[in-house]
Amino acid sequence: MKILDRYILTTYLKTFFSVFIILMMIFVLQTIWLFIKELAGKDLDVIVIFKFLMYYSPKLIPLVLPLTILLSSIMVFGSFAENYEFAAMKSTGISLQRAMAGLSVFIVILGIVTFFFSNNVIPWGEYHSYNLRKNIAKLKPAMVIAEGQFNDVGTINIKVEKKTEDKYLHDIIIHKKANSGLGNYTTIVAKNGELIGQENSNILKLILKDGYYYDDTPPKKAKERRRRPFTKSAFDVYTINTDLSQLDNVDLDDKNVDSKYNMLDVSGLNYTIDSLAHEREKDYDKLSHNIYNRYSIKNLEISLQPLKDTIYTGNILDLYDNDKRLQIVELSINSSASTKQILNNNEKSFKTKSAWLNKHVIALHEKLSLGFACIILFFVGAPLGALIRKGGLGLPMIIAILLFLTYHFIGIFAKNSAKDGTFNPVLATWFSTLVMLPLGVFLTRRATADKGLFEFDHILIPLKKLLPFKNNSDEIFADGFSRDFSDFKRYKEDKLLSIIKDPTAYNYHESGKIEALYTLEERNLDLEALRMKGVHIDKTFETAKNLVTRLNIYSKIALIFNCTGIILLILFFILKNNKMPGSATTCLQLSIISFIIFIVYYISQQFSIIAFKKHLNQKSKKYNILFTILGFIIYPIAHPFFKHKTKEDLSRNAIQHLN
């Protein structure tokens, strides 16, 4: 391995593991937040909780690993570009593709390892975490009662529409289990109820209020059963005591569920998919034969006397007499109605079986697509970092989150559509990866060719010729000095230093001092270095420049978190409308955190503006509170104005104190 490859790989691995550990901790904390109701208040050992987190952690890898690769790639290659390390590589004839070559080998190996991880470790974690959750739930049945579905608790099956504080129940339906186990003949309906249990007690007391009691228990004698006796009574308060002693000895290590699709490896999924597909075909054949037999087509064929060697173009009913016609029409109507009812009855069953099959297909291809997704996201992040030329956690973090959310939610929506059969399950699993593939190719080509991220000259130049746009290059001040500083980037250092000392000698307005200073700072020359090269920099300007630098940092961070909060808030409403409450709640929480950070940095920015104006002795202009409030509300729009106004004030200060 060459020194350059070793240096790039070492730098990348340091960032990769740091980001991976941080993101993993964030997602684990989110897991605790999601399952806090299942874990809290059940006298669980710390070891059991750590077991649950250990079993659940492998499921987080498909989320954490792609985001880690994307963010690490943008940060590392953005830092290389920002510190002119890529420029040094290109000067020695090393292209971006060559710089990425050694790291690409590592990413490919990581993709292969990811497949084996998703094929072996994730099913293992799913198997253990599911069974552990199921066993934990038995420790306190009150926590098991989920809203809107029947729950098995002791000797009853209970369904509630709403549950508050884990003890108050509303709109309750209960089926009591028969002692013989041959059916549920007792039904209880109540408007409200309360669960009461005591510590160290095996009895769960359920107090029902304002309800009805229905009982149709069949008598033992056959003669009495024919009368179908039925009992109905109303009650104000009814108490049910359920013995939970059989739940005292719950084995948390019991694992008797192993048939979920997330618990299977590739071979198990292939076998199950083949079995489910074969079973579905048998169900289709059985239904088709059933419908064919119910149509009585064979009887019609027996009654009909066909004419051979004759082409008949008339109405088929004309071949029968009136009685037969009426019989055929009635038979057709009855058969159609019966067939429609059969199809409606089987529709839900077939949809459920198809959805179950599609889930297995999706689970199979998820194991294959995860490794490819890691490789493609690397080829998105690495060239993107080289193009934006920014390292660290600022802009790269925002771009990585936006790209990953796009990739992740495209995948979620595609998979949800595939489960009910509206989208091909194989294509749905690969869809988000295929969307990112052309983006990776596009960014890699532009970064290799050393072009900008986006170029619109082929659109703007023809428009400028057609429309009367004002050209900045022709903009001249009333005193005859140019305000166009676009050529500064190609000027050498000596000429820029001369412009700072006397811009009018080069036909530039005096505001060109600050533009020349910015250009030299981009070439890593600070104020102290400029002093050593003969530029006189007043202390007043140096203080003003430091204030503006601090102000710009606050302003940038405020903009980043404001935009992040807005995007996450929009995602909250989108996910909420798509019935994804868990992800919606996460987006809302992150949005609130982003807005809180934005408020802190916005206040810091405003105090910096006040300090800057005070330093410039702009006491005649009172600070506008109304504009501050308006800027807070529409900050993404107000941000460019703040930046432009600050730069303008600094430029005036540079004219006086920079020469």
Side-chain angles (χ1 to χ4, degrees):
M1 180 181 291
K2 294 186 177 181
I3 296 175
L4 177 63
D5 294 328
R6 186 163 56 249
Y7 170 70
I8 294 175
L9 180 60
T10 304
T11 306
Y12 185 84
L13 288 178
K14 289 178 181 177
T15 307
F16 176 86
F17 286 114
S18 301
V19 173
F20 180 83
I21 292 171
I22 293 171
L23 290 177
M24 199 68 186
M25 290 177 63
I26 293 173
F27 278 89
V28 168
L29 290 174
Q30 178 65 18
T31 301
I32 297 174
W33 177 264
L34 288 175
F35 295 104
I36 190 67
K37 285 189 176 182
E38 296 185 21
L39 301 174
K42 297 197 174 184
D43 298 327
L44 297 176
D45 294 335
V46 177
I47 297 176
V48 175
I49 295 176
F50 274 111
K51 268 187 178 181
F52 174 75
L53 294 177
M54 182 184 67
Y55 294 150
Y56 198 86
S57 295
K59 294 175 61 175
L60 303 175
I61 297 299
L63 288 174
V64 175
L65 187 60
L67 179 57
T68 301
I69 291 174
L70 183 61
L71 180 56
S72 301
S73 302
I74 296 176
M75 288 174 61
V76 171
F77 283 80
S79 179
F80 286 161
E82 185 179 19
N83 297 324
Y84 297 97
E85 292 181 80
F86 274 138
M89 294 179 195
K90 290 177 183 177
S91 65
T92 59
I94 299 174
S95 64
L96 176 65
Q97 291 180 341
R98 173 62 188 85
M100 293 171 58
L103 202 52
S104 301
V105 175
F106 166 74
I107 295 297
V108 171
I109 295 173
L110 182 63
I112 296 171
V113 173
T114 302
F115 164 74
F116 288 103
F117 184 89
S118 62
N119 186 49
N120 298 283
V121 181
I122 293 179
W124 171 84
E126 178 70 27
Y127 167 70
H128 286 84
S129 65
Y130 179 85
N131 283 280
L132 183 59
R133 280 181 62 197
K134 178 177 65 66
N135 295 330
I136 289 174
K138 291 180 181 179
L139 293 176
K140 283 197 177 180
M143 305 290 289
V144 183
I145 299 177
E147 297 177 351
Q149 65 186 47
F150 278 99
N151 304 271
D152 190 358
V153 180
T155 59
I156 61 174
N157 283 313
I158 181 171
K159 176 184 177 183
V160 299
E161 289 299 322
K162 187 178 180 182
K163 182 178 67 169
T164 56
E165 300 181 17
D166 290 328
K167 59 182 294 188
Y168 297 108
L169 312 177
H170 308 277
D171 296 328
I172 307 163
I173 300 175
I174 295 176
H175 295 298
K176 292 186 71 174
K177 299 177 184 177
N179 294 329
S180 61
L182 298 177
N184 299 328
Y185 301 105
T186 303
T187 303
I188 304 172
V189 179
K191 290 185 178 180
N192 300 294
E194 181 181 358
L195 285 167
I196 298 177
Q198 296 181 353
E199 193 174 355
N200 301 324
S201 175
N202 294 327
I203 303 299
L204 179 68
K205 182 182 290 186
L206 175 58
I207 301 176
L208 304 175
K209 300 177 182 179
D210 192 10
Y212 294 91
Y213 183 97
Y214 306 93
D215 188 5
D216 59 348
T217 304
K220 294 182 179 180
K221 296 181 180 180
K223 184 177 180 181
E224 294 180 0
R225 281 201 298 268
R226 295 193 197 101
R227 299 170 60 184
R228 296 183 180 178
F230 180 76
T231 303
K232 175 183 176 182
S233 61
F235 59 83
D236 293 326
V237 178
Y238 184 80
T239 302
I240 298 177
N241 293 317
T242 303
D243 184 10
L244 302 178
S245 58
Q246 69 274 17
L247 300 179
D248 284 346
N249 299 319
V250 176
D251 183 9
L252 293 176
D253 293 324
D254 180 34
K255 300 175 181 64
N256 55 11
V257 177
D258 59 359
S259 59
K260 282 176 63 67
Y261 54 90
N262 287 334
M263 302 177 185
L264 303 175
D265 57 9
V266 171
S267 59
L269 285 169
N270 278 324
Y271 177 80
T272 307
I273 289 171
D274 184 67
S275 301
L276 292 174
H278 183 67
E279 183 181 347
R280 186 175 63 174
E281 291 299 323
K282 288 175 63 177
D283 291 338
Y284 286 158
D285 291 339
K286 184 178 179 181
L287 178 62
S288 62
H289 287 301
N290 187 20
I291 293 174
Y292 178 80
N293 293 331
R294 293 180 69 88
Y295 258 118
S296 303
I297 295 177
K298 293 183 178 181
N299 296 333
L300 292 177
E301 292 176 350
I302 294 173
S303 303
L304 180 65
Q305 297 296 328
L307 298 176
K308 297 182 180 179
D309 301 328
T310 302
I311 299 175
Y312 183 74
T313 58
N315 192 338
I316 192 171
L317 292 176
D318 294 339
L319 299 175
Y320 298 92
D321 55 26
N322 291 333
D323 292 338
K324 282 290 185 181
R325 290 178 190 174
L326 182 60
Q327 181 182 356
I328 291 172
V329 171
E330 289 179 351
L331 180 62
S332 300
I333 294 173
N334 294 334
S335 298
S336 299
S338 176
T339 302
K340 184 178 180 181
Q341 184 178 2
I342 293 173
L343 292 176
N344 290 335
N345 293 337
N346 284 273
E347 182 181 10
K348 186 175 182 180
S349 174
F350 282 129
K351 280 186 177 180
T352 303
K353 291 181 178 180
S354 295
W356 188 244
L357 174 61
N358 291 336
K359 287 179 181 179
H360 283 77
V361 175
I362 291 172
L364 173 63
H365 285 271
E366 277 181 339
K367 300 180 186 302
L368 303 173
S369 64
L370 181 59
F372 285 95
C374 293
I375 297 171
I376 289 174
L377 288 177
F378 168 74
F379 283 99
V380 170
L384 185 59
L387 290 171
I388 63 174
R389 299 180 181 181
K390 288 288 182 182
L393 287 172
L395 184 61
M397 173 71 79
I398 300 300
I399 294 176
I401 290 175
L402 290 177
L403 282 174
F404 179 74
L405 288 177
T406 303
Y407 159 80
H408 182 58
F409 287 121
I410 286 175
I412 287 178
F413 295 142
K415 290 171 189 174
N416 287 342
S417 300
K419 287 176 183 177
D420 60 4
T422 56
F423 199 44
N424 185 283
V426 177
L427 181 60
T429 313
W430 292 88
F431 191 67
S432 57
T433 306
L434 294 176
V435 169
M436 287 294 168
L437 178 60
L439 179 61
V441 174
F442 169 77
L443 293 174
T444 304
R445 291 183 62 181
R446 295 200 73 82
T448 304
D450 202 17
K451 295 181 179 180
L453 185 57
F454 298 106
E455 291 181 356
F456 300 102
D457 290 346
H458 60 288
I459 299 175
L460 296 178
I461 291 175
L463 288 176
K464 288 181 179 179
K465 292 179 180 179
L466 294 174
L467 301 175
F469 285 123
K470 191 173 183 180
N471 194 343
N472 287 333
S473 62
D474 297 331
E475 186 175 351
I476 306 294
F477 271 77
D479 54 10
F481 294 113
S482 174
R483 192 184 178 184
D484 178 31
F485 310 121
S486 58
D487 292 334
F488 281 14
K489 291 189 179 296
R490 61 183 181 84
Y491 287 166
K492 293 183 178 180
E493 183 180 304
D494 294 339
K495 187 171 182 177
L496 291 172
L497 292 171
S498 300
I499 290 174
I500 291 176
K501 296 175 182 178
D502 186 12
T504 56
Y506 295 90
N507 203 33
Y508 287 115
H509 186 263
E510 288 187 337
S511 60
K513 289 184 177 183
I514 193 68
E515 295 295 335
L517 177 65
Y518 286 148
T519 305
L520 288 170
E521 285 183 337
E522 290 179 359
R523 301 179 186 180
N524 293 332
L525 287 175
D526 56 11
L527 296 181
E528 193 60 37
L530 293 176
R531 281 198 182 98
M532 295 176 63
K533 292 181 180 292
V535 178
H536 178 264
I537 301 173
D538 194 283
K539 285 291 183 183
T540 304
F541 173 77
E542 185 175 3
T543 304
K545 182 71 169 57
N546 292 334
L547 287 171
V548 170
T549 301
R550 185 173 63 183
L551 192 154
N552 287 336
I553 292 173
Y554 293 154
S555 177
K556 178 190 273 188
I557 296 175
L559 178 65
I560 290 171
F561 282 99
N562 182 272
C563 294
T564 304
I566 293 172
I567 293 169
L568 290 171
L569 189 62
I570 294 171
L571 285 173
F572 162 72
F573 289 108
I574 293 174
L575 295 172
K576 186 178 179 181
N577 292 333
N578 283 275
K579 298 180 180 180
M580 300 172 64
S583 300
T585 303
T586 303
C587 287
L588 180 61
Q589 293 168 353
L590 294 175
S591 176
I592 293 172
I593 294 172
S594 298
F595 280 125
I596 291 172
I597 298 175
F598 158 69
I599 292 171
V600 172
Y601 278 97
Y602 182 78
I603 294 173
S604 302
Q605 177 195 358
Q606 297 306 310
F607 278 115
S608 297
I609 291 175
I610 294 173
F612 177 64
K613 289 181 176 292
K614 185 178 180 180
H615 176 73
L616 299 181
N617 294 321
Q618 295 182 356
K619 297 179 181 179
S620 59
K621 297 181 180 179
K622 293 183 179 180
Y623 195 69
N624 195 333
I625 300 297
L626 181 62
F627 182 74
T628 303
I629 297 173
L630 184 63
F632 174 78
I633 297 172
I634 53 171
Y635 188 74
I637 300 174
H639 172 77
F641 177 81
F642 284 129
K643 191 172 182 180
H644 173 74
K645 191 70 175 64
T646 305
K647 184 178 179 181
E648 202 174 62
D649 292 338
L650 184 64
S651 180
R652 292 195 191 98
N653 189 264
I655 293 173
Q656 300 174 6
H657 303 282
L658 188 65
N659 52 65

